Amino acid sequence: MYVILLGLPGAGKGTQAARLSAATALAHITTGELFRDNIREGTALGEKAKPFVEGGLLVPDEITIGMLLDRVKQPDASAGFMLDGFPRNLEQARALDEALSREGKQIDEALYIKVSTEELVRRLAGRWSCPQCGAVYHEQSRPPMKPGVCDNCGAALYQREDDRPEVVRTRLEVNQKNLQPLLDYYDGRGKLREVDGERDPETISKDLGRLIGIGC
Ligand code: AMP
């Protein structure tokens, strides 16, 4: 099964993709994480992507599409994948469809997690992440047991460069502009399903699981 999770930054795509892929054999692939790994490791791709990622802008398609298409060819994605953070524009959606159709495959579902902009600003600006295990916390709604320390692995939490309040607005604007054409693209192909992302994560997982035919 080939599934896409759509939604603005902070909508909960990462949290939901992790839950759903744990309940299935689908590989969880997140382009934001691929970029952050490359930046941390100082690769050539990371060097190219860094100014865009840290400024809250989209990394150019010629870098992003190649990276994603290489990743989906890896063996762990052969039984299917769940994409989180890709596609972010129509060019990316078309490139993915073309690559899949060359192998006789297609996207089965595009799941849109809908959250209002005010709620997203609140979520992103208070978000702290674990550099080691990827756990995500929030100052008000999900604080770690010990301030600044990951509950799972004990690593020191950090605030992503692009979660700083001044960058959050740019990220939301850039992504908002591209979201509607993507929703229309998948809706026109009969693939789009929408869920209300302003409820508790368990309820959202159940809804999403139902839509793709699994129990969560
Ligand atoms: P995310 O963790 O999904 O919010 O992604 C973090 C950053 O990575 C984004 O603000 C972009 O700079 C970059 N990025 C992630 N996915 C894409 C994509 N599909 N196209 C272009 N840039 C991306």
PDB file of all heavy atoms in Angstrom, residues 41-76:
ATOM      1  N   GLU A  41      24.926  15.151   9.377  1.00  0.00           N
ATOM      2  CA  GLU A  41      26.098  14.383   8.947  1.00  0.00           C
ATOM      3  C   GLU A  41      27.019  15.177   8.024  1.00  0.00           C
ATOM      4  O   GLU A  41      28.072  14.697   7.626  1.00  0.00           O
ATOM      5  CB  GLU A  41      25.638  13.105   8.222  1.00  0.00           C
ATOM      6  CG  GLU A  41      25.001  12.097   9.172  1.00  0.00           C
ATOM      7  CD  GLU A  41      24.112  11.081   8.451  1.00  0.00           C
ATOM      8  OE1 GLU A  41      24.208  10.968   7.208  1.00  0.00           O
ATOM      9  OE2 GLU A  41      23.309  10.425   9.140  1.00  0.00           O
ATOM     10  N   GLY A  42      26.609  16.406   7.655  1.00  0.00           N
ATOM     11  CA  GLY A  42      27.452  17.264   6.820  1.00  0.00           C
ATOM     12  C   GLY A  42      27.643  16.747   5.398  1.00  0.00           C
ATOM     13  O   GLY A  42      28.685  17.003   4.788  1.00  0.00           O
ATOM     14  N   THR A  43      26.669  16.024   4.844  1.00  0.00           N
ATOM     15  CA  THR A  43      26.803  15.532   3.461  1.00  0.00           C
ATOM     16  C   THR A  43      26.648  16.705   2.479  1.00  0.00           C
ATOM     17  O   THR A  43      26.165  17.786   2.846  1.00  0.00           O
ATOM     18  CB  THR A  43      25.710  14.490   3.123  1.00  0.00           C
ATOM     19  OG1 THR A  43      24.452  15.171   3.128  1.00  0.00           O
ATOM     20  CG2 THR A  43      25.673  13.347   4.121  1.00  0.00           C
ATOM     21  N   ALA A  44      27.019  16.434   1.204  1.00  0.00           N
ATOM     22  CA  ALA A  44      26.893  17.479   0.177  1.00  0.00           C
ATOM     23  C   ALA A  44      25.424  17.882   0.036  1.00  0.00           C
ATOM     24  O   ALA A  44      25.093  19.073  -0.087  1.00  0.00           O
ATOM     25  CB  ALA A  44      27.435  16.957  -1.148  1.00  0.00           C
ATOM     26  N   LEU A  45      24.526  16.881   0.086  1.00  0.00           N
ATOM     27  CA  LEU A  45      23.100  17.184  -0.021  1.00  0.00           C
ATOM     28  C   LEU A  45      22.654  18.050   1.167  1.00  0.00           C
ATOM     29  O   LEU A  45      21.905  19.013   1.017  1.00  0.00           O
ATOM     30  CB  LEU A  45      22.305  15.865  -0.056  1.00  0.00           C
ATOM     31  CG  LEU A  45      20.824  15.959  -0.397  1.00  0.00           C
ATOM     32  CD1 LEU A  45      20.374  14.703  -1.123  1.00  0.00           C
ATOM     33  CD2 LEU A  45      19.950  16.183   0.816  1.00  0.00           C
ATOM     34  N   GLY A  46      23.164  17.706   2.361  1.00  0.00           N
ATOM     35  CA  GLY A  46      22.825  18.470   3.565  1.00  0.00           C
ATOM     36  C   GLY A  46      23.272  19.922   3.452  1.00  0.00           C
ATOM     37  O   GLY A  46      22.548  20.847   3.832  1.00  0.00           O
ATOM     38  N   GLU A  47      24.488  20.135   2.912  1.00  0.00           N
ATOM     39  CA  GLU A  47      25.018  21.498   2.747  1.00  0.00           C
ATOM     40  C   GLU A  47      24.120  22.318   1.825  1.00  0.00           C
ATOM     41  O   GLU A  47      23.846  23.492   2.072  1.00  0.00           O
ATOM     42  CB  GLU A  47      26.430  21.454   2.143  1.00  0.00           C
ATOM     43  CG  GLU A  47      27.497  20.979   3.104  1.00  0.00           C
ATOM     44  CD  GLU A  47      27.608  21.898   4.320  1.00  0.00           C
ATOM     45  OE1 GLU A  47      27.806  23.106   4.129  1.00  0.00           O
ATOM     46  OE2 GLU A  47      27.460  21.386   5.454  1.00  0.00           O
ATOM     47  N   LYS A  48      23.640  21.657   0.760  1.00  0.00           N
ATOM     48  CA  LYS A  48      22.777  22.368  -0.200  1.00  0.00           C
ATOM     49  C   LYS A  48      21.423  22.689   0.429  1.00  0.00           C
ATOM     50  O   LYS A  48      20.858  23.750   0.200  1.00  0.00           O
ATOM     51  CB  LYS A  48      22.540  21.495  -1.442  1.00  0.00           C
ATOM     52  CG  LYS A  48      23.697  21.467  -2.396  1.00  0.00           C
ATOM     53  CD  LYS A  48      23.248  20.810  -3.706  1.00  0.00           C
ATOM     54  CE  LYS A  48      24.428  20.140  -4.382  1.00  0.00           C
ATOM     55  NZ  LYS A  48      24.087  18.980  -5.171  1.00  0.00           N
ATOM     56  N   ALA A  49      20.901  21.742   1.219  1.00  0.00           N
ATOM     57  CA  ALA A  49      19.549  21.902   1.768  1.00  0.00           C
ATOM     58  C   ALA A  49      19.503  22.847   2.967  1.00  0.00           C
ATOM     59  O   ALA A  49      18.466  23.479   3.232  1.00  0.00           O
ATOM     60  CB  ALA A  49      19.005  20.531   2.177  1.00  0.00           C
ATOM     61  N   LYS A  50      20.612  22.955   3.682  1.00  0.00           N
ATOM     62  CA  LYS A  50      20.627  23.643   4.983  1.00  0.00           C
ATOM     63  C   LYS A  50      19.990  25.041   4.990  1.00  0.00           C
ATOM     64  O   LYS A  50      19.115  25.317   5.814  1.00  0.00           O
ATOM     65  CB  LYS A  50      22.068  23.695   5.497  1.00  0.00           C
ATOM     66  CG  LYS A  50      22.185  24.160   6.917  1.00  0.00           C
ATOM     67  CD  LYS A  50      23.601  23.983   7.407  1.00  0.00           C
ATOM     68  CE  LYS A  50      23.624  24.496   8.834  1.00  0.00           C
ATOM     69  NZ  LYS A  50      24.867  24.615   9.432  1.00  0.00           N
ATOM     70  N   PRO A  51      20.411  25.946   4.086  1.00  0.00           N
ATOM     71  CA  PRO A  51      19.828  27.298   4.175  1.00  0.00           C
ATOM     72  C   PRO A  51      18.316  27.305   3.970  1.00  0.00           C
ATOM     73  O   PRO A  51      17.616  28.132   4.575  1.00  0.00           O
ATOM     74  CB  PRO A  51      20.531  28.070   3.049  1.00  0.00           C
ATOM     75  CG  PRO A  51      21.258  27.068   2.218  1.00  0.00           C
ATOM     76  CD  PRO A  51      21.432  25.832   3.038  1.00  0.00           C
ATOM     77  N   PHE A  52      17.808  26.408   3.168  1.00  0.00           N
ATOM     78  CA  PHE A  52      16.361  26.359   2.929  1.00  0.00           C
ATOM     79  C   PHE A  52      15.645  25.820   4.164  1.00  0.00           C
ATOM     80  O   PHE A  52      14.647  26.392   4.619  1.00  0.00           O
ATOM     81  CB  PHE A  52      16.039  25.472   1.712  1.00  0.00           C
ATOM     82  CG  PHE A  52      16.659  25.973   0.437  1.00  0.00           C
ATOM     83  CD1 PHE A  52      17.844  25.449  -0.034  1.00  0.00           C
ATOM     84  CD2 PHE A  52      16.048  27.001  -0.268  1.00  0.00           C
ATOM     85  CE1 PHE A  52      18.423  25.927  -1.203  1.00  0.00           C
ATOM     86  CE2 PHE A  52      16.615  27.482  -1.441  1.00  0.00           C
ATOM     87  CZ  PHE A  52      17.810  26.944  -1.908  1.00  0.00           C
ATOM     88  N   VAL A  53      16.165  24.729   4.697  1.00  0.00           N
ATOM     89  CA  VAL A  53      15.519  24.106   5.860  1.00  0.00           C
ATOM     90  C   VAL A  53      15.524  25.087   7.033  1.00  0.00           C
ATOM     91  O   VAL A  53      14.496  25.302   7.681  1.00  0.00           O
ATOM     92  CB  VAL A  53      16.237  22.785   6.238  1.00  0.00           C
ATOM     93  CG1 VAL A  53      15.688  22.232   7.544  1.00  0.00           C
ATOM     94  CG2 VAL A  53      16.078  21.755   5.122  1.00  0.00           C
ATOM     95  N   GLU A  54      16.672  25.714   7.288  1.00  0.00           N
ATOM     96  CA  GLU A  54      16.756  26.595   8.453  1.00  0.00           C
ATOM     97  C   GLU A  54      15.965  27.880   8.267  1.00  0.00           C
ATOM     98  O   GLU A  54      15.576  28.525   9.227  1.00  0.00           O
ATOM     99  CB  GLU A  54      18.221  26.848   8.813  1.00  0.00           C
ATOM    100  CG  GLU A  54      18.843  25.539   9.287  1.00  0.00           C
ATOM    101  CD  GLU A  54      20.224  25.660   9.871  1.00  0.00           C
ATOM    102  OE1 GLU A  54      20.849  26.727   9.712  1.00  0.00           O
ATOM    103  OE2 GLU A  54      20.663  24.678  10.494  1.00  0.00           O
ATOM    104  N   GLY A  55      15.699  28.249   7.009  1.00  0.00           N
ATOM    105  CA  GLY A  55      14.910  29.460   6.758  1.00  0.00           C
ATOM    106  C   GLY A  55      13.426  29.162   6.604  1.00  0.00           C
ATOM    107  O   GLY A  55      12.634  30.062   6.344  1.00  0.00           O
ATOM    108  N   GLY A  56      13.045  27.894   6.729  1.00  0.00           N
ATOM    109  CA  GLY A  56      11.627  27.545   6.625  1.00  0.00           C
ATOM    110  C   GLY A  56      11.117  27.532   5.196  1.00  0.00           C
ATOM    111  O   GLY A  56       9.916  27.562   4.953  1.00  0.00           O
ATOM    112  N   LEU A  57      12.046  27.483   4.211  1.00  0.00           N
ATOM    113  CA  LEU A  57      11.648  27.482   2.792  1.00  0.00           C
ATOM    114  C   LEU A  57      11.720  26.072   2.229  1.00  0.00           C
ATOM    115  O   LEU A  57      12.419  25.216   2.771  1.00  0.00           O
ATOM    116  CB  LEU A  57      12.607  28.386   1.999  1.00  0.00           C
ATOM    117  CG  LEU A  57      12.634  29.839   2.466  1.00  0.00           C
ATOM    118  CD1 LEU A  57      13.791  30.574   1.800  1.00  0.00           C
ATOM    119  CD2 LEU A  57      11.306  30.524   2.160  1.00  0.00           C
ATOM    120  N   LEU A  58      11.027  25.844   1.112  1.00  0.00           N
ATOM    121  CA  LEU A  58      11.102  24.524   0.496  1.00  0.00           C
ATOM    122  C   LEU A  58      12.461  24.331  -0.148  1.00  0.00           C
ATOM    123  O   LEU A  58      12.982  25.241  -0.800  1.00  0.00           O
ATOM    124  CB  LEU A  58      10.024  24.364  -0.581  1.00  0.00           C
ATOM    125  CG  LEU A  58       8.582  24.235  -0.102  1.00  0.00           C
ATOM    126  CD1 LEU A  58       7.673  23.878  -1.272  1.00  0.00           C
ATOM    127  CD2 LEU A  58       8.440  23.209   1.011  1.00  0.00           C
ATOM    128  N   VAL A  59      13.030  23.155   0.026  1.00  0.00           N
ATOM    129  CA  VAL A  59      14.275  22.812  -0.658  1.00  0.00           C
ATOM    130  C   VAL A  59      13.915  22.623  -2.142  1.00  0.00           C
ATOM    131  O   VAL A  59      12.857  22.057  -2.453  1.00  0.00           O
ATOM    132  CB  VAL A  59      14.869  21.509  -0.070  1.00  0.00           C
ATOM    133  CG1 VAL A  59      16.140  21.105  -0.797  1.00  0.00           C
ATOM    134  CG2 VAL A  59      15.128  21.674   1.429  1.00  0.00           C
ATOM    135  N   PRO A  60      14.754  23.116  -3.080  1.00  0.00           N
ATOM    136  CA  PRO A  60      14.380  23.016  -4.501  1.00  0.00           C
ATOM    137  C   PRO A  60      14.055  21.579  -4.930  1.00  0.00           C
ATOM    138  O   PRO A  60      14.663  20.623  -4.445  1.00  0.00           O
ATOM    139  CB  PRO A  60      15.621  23.544  -5.230  1.00  0.00           C
ATOM    140  CG  PRO A  60      16.296  24.440  -4.237  1.00  0.00           C
ATOM    141  CD  PRO A  60      16.021  23.838  -2.888  1.00  0.00           C
ATOM    142  N   ASP A  61      13.115  21.490  -5.874  1.00  0.00           N
ATOM    143  CA  ASP A  61      12.646  20.172  -6.333  1.00  0.00           C
ATOM    144  C   ASP A  61      13.766  19.299  -6.874  1.00  0.00           C
ATOM    145  O   ASP A  61      13.731  18.076  -6.717  1.00  0.00           O
ATOM    146  CB  ASP A  61      11.582  20.346  -7.440  1.00  0.00           C
ATOM    147  CG  ASP A  61      10.263  20.814  -6.868  1.00  0.00           C
ATOM    148  OD1 ASP A  61      10.062  20.703  -5.634  1.00  0.00           O
ATOM    149  OD2 ASP A  61       9.429  21.297  -7.653  1.00  0.00           O
ATOM    150  N   GLU A  62      14.759  19.904  -7.562  1.00  0.00           N
ATOM    151  CA  GLU A  62      15.794  19.051  -8.169  1.00  0.00           C
ATOM    152  C   GLU A  62      16.601  18.305  -7.091  1.00  0.00           C
ATOM    153  O   GLU A  62      17.150  17.245  -7.356  1.00  0.00           O
ATOM    154  CB  GLU A  62      16.713  19.824  -9.122  1.00  0.00           C
ATOM    155  CG  GLU A  62      17.418  21.005  -8.551  1.00  0.00           C
ATOM    156  CD  GLU A  62      16.613  22.303  -8.713  1.00  0.00           C
ATOM    157  OE1 GLU A  62      15.366  22.235  -8.785  1.00  0.00           O
ATOM    158  OE2 GLU A  62      17.239  23.375  -8.748  1.00  0.00           O
ATOM    159  N   ILE A  63      16.645  18.833  -5.880  1.00  0.00           N
ATOM    160  CA  ILE A  63      17.328  18.118  -4.787  1.00  0.00           C
ATOM    161  C   ILE A  63      16.336  17.140  -4.129  1.00  0.00           C
ATOM    162  O   ILE A  63      16.625  15.960  -3.919  1.00  0.00           O
ATOM    163  CB  ILE A  63      17.830  19.121  -3.712  1.00  0.00           C
ATOM    164  CG1 ILE A  63      18.775  20.148  -4.341  1.00  0.00           C
ATOM    165  CG2 ILE A  63      18.481  18.387  -2.549  1.00  0.00           C
ATOM    166  CD1 ILE A  63      19.194  21.259  -3.392  1.00  0.00           C
ATOM    167  N   THR A  64      15.139  17.647  -3.837  1.00  0.00           N
ATOM    168  CA  THR A  64      14.176  16.884  -3.033  1.00  0.00           C
ATOM    169  C   THR A  64      13.640  15.643  -3.756  1.00  0.00           C
ATOM    170  O   THR A  64      13.559  14.560  -3.169  1.00  0.00           O
ATOM    171  CB  THR A  64      12.985  17.810  -2.664  1.00  0.00           C
ATOM    172  OG1 THR A  64      13.509  18.994  -2.095  1.00  0.00           O
ATOM    173  CG2 THR A  64      12.041  17.128  -1.707  1.00  0.00           C
ATOM    174  N   ILE A  65      13.276  15.818  -5.010  1.00  0.00           N
ATOM    175  CA  ILE A  65      12.640  14.699  -5.728  1.00  0.00           C
ATOM    176  C   ILE A  65      13.617  13.532  -5.878  1.00  0.00           C
ATOM    177  O   ILE A  65      13.274  12.374  -5.613  1.00  0.00           O
ATOM    178  CB  ILE A  65      12.092  15.182  -7.094  1.00  0.00           C
ATOM    179  CG1 ILE A  65      10.916  16.132  -6.856  1.00  0.00           C
ATOM    180  CG2 ILE A  65      11.654  13.990  -7.952  1.00  0.00           C
ATOM    181  CD1 ILE A  65      10.381  16.830  -8.104  1.00  0.00           C
ATOM    182  N   GLY A  66      14.866  13.832  -6.253  1.00  0.00           N
ATOM    183  CA  GLY A  66      15.864  12.763  -6.409  1.00  0.00           C
ATOM    184  C   GLY A  66      16.077  12.028  -5.091  1.00  0.00           C
ATOM    185  O   GLY A  66      16.130  10.787  -5.054  1.00  0.00           O
ATOM    186  N   MET A  67      16.188  12.793  -4.004  1.00  0.00           N
ATOM    187  CA  MET A  67      16.420  12.175  -2.687  1.00  0.00           C
ATOM    188  C   MET A  67      15.258  11.234  -2.328  1.00  0.00           C
ATOM    189  O   MET A  67      15.465  10.109  -1.883  1.00  0.00           O
ATOM    190  CB  MET A  67      16.560  13.281  -1.627  1.00  0.00           C
ATOM    191  CG  MET A  67      16.680  12.759  -0.215  1.00  0.00           C
ATOM    192  SD  MET A  67      16.759  14.088   1.013  1.00  0.00           S
ATOM    193  CE  MET A  67      15.018  14.539   1.118  1.00  0.00           C
ATOM    194  N   LEU A  68      14.040  11.691  -2.554  1.00  0.00           N
ATOM    195  CA  LEU A  68      12.866  10.883  -2.184  1.00  0.00           C
ATOM    196  C   LEU A  68      12.754   9.640  -3.062  1.00  0.00           C
ATOM    197  O   LEU A  68      12.504   8.543  -2.564  1.00  0.00           O
ATOM    198  CB  LEU A  68      11.619  11.772  -2.277  1.00  0.00           C
ATOM    199  CG  LEU A  68      10.262  11.243  -1.808  1.00  0.00           C
ATOM    200  CD1 LEU A  68       9.551  10.418  -2.846  1.00  0.00           C
ATOM    201  CD2 LEU A  68      10.324  10.512  -0.478  1.00  0.00           C
ATOM    202  N   LEU A  69      12.984   9.818  -4.366  1.00  0.00           N
ATOM    203  CA  LEU A  69      12.838   8.657  -5.254  1.00  0.00           C
ATOM    204  C   LEU A  69      13.912   7.606  -4.947  1.00  0.00           C
ATOM    205  O   LEU A  69      13.657   6.410  -5.035  1.00  0.00           O
ATOM    206  CB  LEU A  69      12.853   9.080  -6.728  1.00  0.00           C
ATOM    207  CG  LEU A  69      11.662   9.961  -7.157  1.00  0.00           C
ATOM    208  CD1 LEU A  69      11.716  10.249  -8.660  1.00  0.00           C
ATOM    209  CD2 LEU A  69      10.317   9.340  -6.795  1.00  0.00           C
ATOM    210  N   ASP A  70      15.111   8.049  -4.544  1.00  0.00           N
ATOM    211  CA  ASP A  70      16.140   7.078  -4.118  1.00  0.00           C
ATOM    212  C   ASP A  70      15.680   6.338  -2.868  1.00  0.00           C
ATOM    213  O   ASP A  70      15.856   5.139  -2.738  1.00  0.00           O
ATOM    214  CB  ASP A  70      17.451   7.801  -3.759  1.00  0.00           C
ATOM    215  CG  ASP A  70      18.235   8.160  -4.999  1.00  0.00           C
ATOM    216  OD1 ASP A  70      17.881   7.646  -6.085  1.00  0.00           O
ATOM    217  OD2 ASP A  70      19.169   8.974  -4.881  1.00  0.00           O
ATOM    218  N   ARG A  71      15.102   7.102  -1.949  1.00  0.00           N
ATOM    219  CA  ARG A  71      14.692   6.493  -0.668  1.00  0.00           C
ATOM    220  C   ARG A  71      13.583   5.452  -0.851  1.00  0.00           C
ATOM    221  O   ARG A  71      13.617   4.394  -0.225  1.00  0.00           O
ATOM    222  CB  ARG A  71      14.246   7.602   0.299  1.00  0.00           C
ATOM    223  CG  ARG A  71      13.735   7.117   1.642  1.00  0.00           C
ATOM    224  CD  ARG A  71      14.803   6.408   2.445  1.00  0.00           C
ATOM    225  NE  ARG A  71      14.274   5.809   3.665  1.00  0.00           N
ATOM    226  CZ  ARG A  71      13.718   4.596   3.738  1.00  0.00           C
ATOM    227  NH1 ARG A  71      13.623   3.838   2.660  1.00  0.00           N
ATOM    228  NH2 ARG A  71      13.271   4.138   4.886  1.00  0.00           N
ATOM    229  N   VAL A  72      12.601   5.736  -1.720  1.00  0.00           N
ATOM    230  CA  VAL A  72      11.489   4.782  -1.854  1.00  0.00           C
ATOM    231  C   VAL A  72      11.903   3.497  -2.588  1.00  0.00           C
ATOM    232  O   VAL A  72      11.167   2.530  -2.577  1.00  0.00           O
ATOM    233  CB  VAL A  72      10.218   5.387  -2.526  1.00  0.00           C
ATOM    234  CG1 VAL A  72       9.644   6.514  -1.689  1.00  0.00           C
ATOM    235  CG2 VAL A  72      10.490   5.860  -3.941  1.00  0.00           C
ATOM    236  N   LYS A  73      13.124   3.524  -3.171  1.00  0.00           N
ATOM    237  CA  LYS A  73      13.606   2.297  -3.831  1.00  0.00           C
ATOM    238  C   LYS A  73      14.276   1.343  -2.840  1.00  0.00           C
ATOM    239  O   LYS A  73      14.627   0.223  -3.189  1.00  0.00           O
ATOM    240  CB  LYS A  73      14.641   2.663  -4.910  1.00  0.00           C
ATOM    241  CG  LYS A  73      13.994   3.173  -6.188  1.00  0.00           C
ATOM    242  CD  LYS A  73      15.058   3.298  -7.275  1.00  0.00           C
ATOM    243  CE  LYS A  73      14.727   4.411  -8.241  1.00  0.00           C
ATOM    244  NZ  LYS A  73      15.830   5.311  -8.517  1.00  0.00           N
ATOM    245  N   GLN A  74      14.476   1.790  -1.602  1.00  0.00           N
ATOM    246  CA  GLN A  74      15.159   0.936  -0.615  1.00  0.00           C
ATOM    247  C   GLN A  74      14.291  -0.278  -0.271  1.00  0.00           C
ATOM    248  O   GLN A  74      13.052  -0.189  -0.335  1.00  0.00           O
ATOM    249  CB  GLN A  74      15.450   1.724   0.672  1.00  0.00           C
ATOM    250  CG  GLN A  74      16.309   2.967   0.482  1.00  0.00           C
ATOM    251  CD  GLN A  74      17.679   2.646  -0.082  1.00  0.00           C
ATOM    252  OE1 GLN A  74      18.368   1.768   0.411  1.00  0.00           O
ATOM    253  NE2 GLN A  74      18.062   3.342  -1.145  1.00  0.00           N
ATOM    254  N   PRO A  75      14.931  -1.399   0.096  1.00  0.00           N
ATOM    255  CA  PRO A  75      14.178  -2.640   0.326  1.00  0.00           C
ATOM    256  C   PRO A  75      13.058  -2.507   1.355  1.00  0.00           C
ATOM    257  O   PRO A  75      12.005  -3.108   1.203  1.00  0.00           O
ATOM    258  CB  PRO A  75      15.245  -3.619   0.835  1.00  0.00           C
ATOM    259  CG  PRO A  75      16.553  -3.032   0.467  1.00  0.00           C
ATOM    260  CD  PRO A  75      16.378  -1.567   0.258  1.00  0.00           C
ATOM    261  N   ASP A  76      13.260  -1.693   2.409  1.00  0.00           N
ATOM    262  CA  ASP A  76      12.220  -1.628   3.453  1.00  0.00           C
ATOM    263  C   ASP A  76      10.919  -1.009   2.936  1.00  0.00           C
ATOM    264  O   ASP A  76       9.877  -1.139   3.572  1.00  0.00           O
ATOM    265  CB  ASP A  76      12.720  -0.841   4.678  1.00  0.00           C
ATOM    266  CG  ASP A  76      12.957   0.623   4.364  1.00  0.00           C
ATOM    267  OD1 ASP A  76      13.432   0.942   3.250  1.00  0.00           O
ATOM    268  OD2 ASP A  76      12.645   1.466   5.226  1.00  0.00           O
TER     269      ASP A  76
END
